[in-house]
Amino acid sequence: MTIRAICDLAPAYIRSIAPYQPGKPISELAREFGLVESGIIKLASNENPLGVSPKAQAAIRATLDGLALYPDGNGFELKQALSRYLSVGMDQLVLGNGSNDVLELAARAFLAPENSAVYSQHAFAVYPLVVQAMGCKGIEVPAKNFGHDLDAMLRAVQPVTRMVFVANPNNPTGTLAPAAEMERFIAALPAHVLVVLDEAYNDYLRPEHRADSLSWLKKYPNLLITRTFSKVYGLAGLRVGYAVGSAAVADMLNRVRQPFNVNSISLAAAAAALDDHEFVRKSYALNLAGMDQLTAGLKKLGLEYIPSYGNFVTFKAGDAKAVNTALLKSGVIVRPIAGYGLPDWLRVTVGLEAENTRFLSSLQQAIAA
Ligand SMILES: *Cc1c(COP(=O)(O)O)cnc(C)c1O
């Protein structure tokens, strides 16, 4: 009998997973190119350039003395705050170690190897990851104008399909499906399919573009909405996100959750950040101004970009690999998105005004080189 190495014995569906490629950390670029960390700007992971909300900072400090104890595994205070903020029942909420965690919990709760899940081309990379990790078939539906082709996604649903993932706005393309189209899509999906509506960028939408998606929960028990504290709330490093759905669906996700999946600091910080309306307002306003600055700059450089509804914009860089390397050498980190089927494009996060200016001037030099 031949003895096979342990890794060859991992299931084929695990061995074929392409690892997630995160934005390059500042410390890593500093090591690679011998740069000083303070001179590097990171516009690669859609983080909040204003940092952590003052209210969250105070809450974080206040938790330090209690860290010898396990966190509240039910996240009572954060759930209570969210329940008031969203006008949903506490039993409709699932907290996660980032919304990535709740995406994975949903896959674990509803997918078995004989099932399939549907998502769009150029959609968030975590969807195929969590589907594949369940040994389940992922159906990638070609995008339309870089956005979700909702009609085609509907047609792709099979009797064995149990999940559909839609990010609205989508990352990395920044496209938005209008609320009416999104609701029509959800209404048309069969009851045996859980639709995960990922609203990570919801707070960056202008009021007139926001869907009243929470009201849909009353009509569609197979709808699960996910949101995060990583973006407008400025807590990406702490990892907190949540899902809202019907109480029955939330119960399923909670069954497969680690008992203490959100730590004490994160629970307290998220509750405080939710209450920091001034910080959210500032972050929103900064993003709109920065988006105008970036898109005007890209236009001036003659570069095509995809109009974005998030806190980032994806632009066509020609030789994106070379442009990215040149940007890195100048201390500017953006995100290559070849892994999303967009090898000629780069995604840049809206930063502070001075960061956007620096990015645009580095980009100008990079494309001239
Ligand atoms: C950033 C992002 C998230 C948030 O992930 P967290 O795990 O909450 O940090 C979720 N979905 C999409 C589409 C995103 O771009």
Side-chain angles (χ1 to χ4, degrees):
M1 201 185 107
T2 50
I3 298 169
R4 294 167 66 193
I6 183 67
C7 289
D8 294 337
L9 295 168
Y13 59 82
I14 298 294
R15 283 183 281 127
S16 63
I17 289 177
Y20 180 80
Q21 302 214 323
K24 189 184 276 294
I26 287 176
S27 54
E28 186 180 306
L29 179 64
R31 277 196 303 276
E32 281 179 7
F33 288 86
L35 301 173
V36 200
E37 287 195 20
S38 60
I40 295 173
I41 56 170
K42 184 180 178 217
L43 302 173
S45 302
N46 303 344
E47 292 140 336
N48 191 325
L50 290 178
V52 177
S53 99
K55 283 195 179 181
Q57 291 192 29
I60 289 166
R61 276 185 219 105
T63 58
L64 297 180
D65 286 339
L67 293 182
L69 304 181
Y70 280 100
D72 174 2
N74 289 318
F76 181 86
E77 280 174 24
L78 178 55
K79 278 192 187 168
Q80 190 176 56
L82 284 169
S83 147
R84 286 183 185 143
Y85 176 69
L86 306 168
S87 304
V88 300
M90 284 175 67
D91 59 355
Q92 292 182 262
L93 291 162
V94 182
L95 303 181
N97 184 35
S99 57
N100 274 253
D101 189 25
V102 292
L103 294 171
E104 189 184 346
L105 294 177
R108 287 189 22 218
F110 288 96
L111 296 180
E114 64 269 25
N115 298 133
S116 65
V118 172
Y119 42 79
S120 175
Q121 180 189 20
H122 314 315
F124 191 39
V126 169
Y127 311 150
L129 257 176
V130 299
V131 169
Q132 227 183 324
M134 295 306 297
C136 182
K137 186 175 176 226
I139 301 172
E140 186 184 285
V141 176
K144 196 165 110 184
N145 300 325
F146 299 106
H148 294 84
D149 185 344
L150 295 176
D151 290 333
M153 289 176 76
L154 206 52
R155 287 194 299 272
V157 170
Q158 310 164 322
V160 294
T161 301
R162 289 292 172 273
M163 289 181 84
V164 171
F165 293 88
V166 272
N168 208 35
N170 185 48
N171 171 23
T173 58
T175 51
L176 181 78
E181 278 175 37
M182 188 55 75
E183 190 185 358
R184 219 176 311 127
F185 171 72
I186 294 166
L189 279 169
H192 66 75
V193 175
L194 180 78
V195 50
V196 175
L197 176 58
D198 182 340
E199 295 189 329
Y201 299 98
N202 191 59
D203 297 280
Y204 289 112
L205 289 173
R206 294 175 192 270
E208 66 267 29
H209 290 141
R210 280 181 211 184
D212 187 12
S213 51
L214 292 165
S215 74
W216 301 342
L217 290 169
K218 294 191 189 76
K219 289 185 263 184
Y220 312 109
N222 56 333
L223 170 62
L224 187 72
I225 298 171
T226 63
R227 293 190 182 166
T228 181
F229 285 94
S230 297
K231 307 283 156 66
V232 85
Y233 292 101
L235 298 176
L238 280 182
R239 319 299 306 121
V240 210
Y242 60 94
V244 207
S246 64
V249 167
D251 176 45
M252 288 296 156
L253 268 67
N254 275 315
R255 290 179 197 204
V256 292
R257 185 174 64 77
Q258 283 182 37
F260 303 108
N261 64 329
V262 186
N263 70 69
S264 312
I265 301 179
S266 304
L267 287 170
L274 194 65
D275 197 40
D276 200 338
H277 307 291
E278 177 57 16
F279 181 79
V280 171
R281 193 197 58 72
K282 258 198 221 162
S283 303
Y284 168 83
L286 181 80
N287 186 62
L288 286 188
M291 182 65 83
D292 285 347
Q293 187 190 355
L294 283 180
T295 52
L298 290 168
K299 219 178 266 175
K300 217 169 134 194
L301 294 175
L303 297 178
E304 186 187 345
Y305 63 87
I306 308 170
S308 171
Y309 292 84
N311 66 341
F312 56 87
V313 58
T314 288
F315 61 96
K316 201 166 189 176
D319 187 348
K321 228 173 155 176
V323 171
N324 184 51
T325 305
L327 286 171
L328 288 174
K329 283 185 182 152
S330 76
V332 177
I333 312 176
V334 298
R335 187 68 153 270
I337 45 175
Y340 290 82
L342 295 164
D344 302 334
W345 301 71
L346 293 171
R347 189 194 71 193
V348 61
T349 302
V350 175
L352 300 171
E353 187 184 349
E355 294 174 328
N356 301 332
T357 303
R358 172 146 166 227
F359 156 74
L360 287 167
S361 85
S362 292
L363 179 62
Q364 182 171 23
Q365 287 167 16
I367 57 175

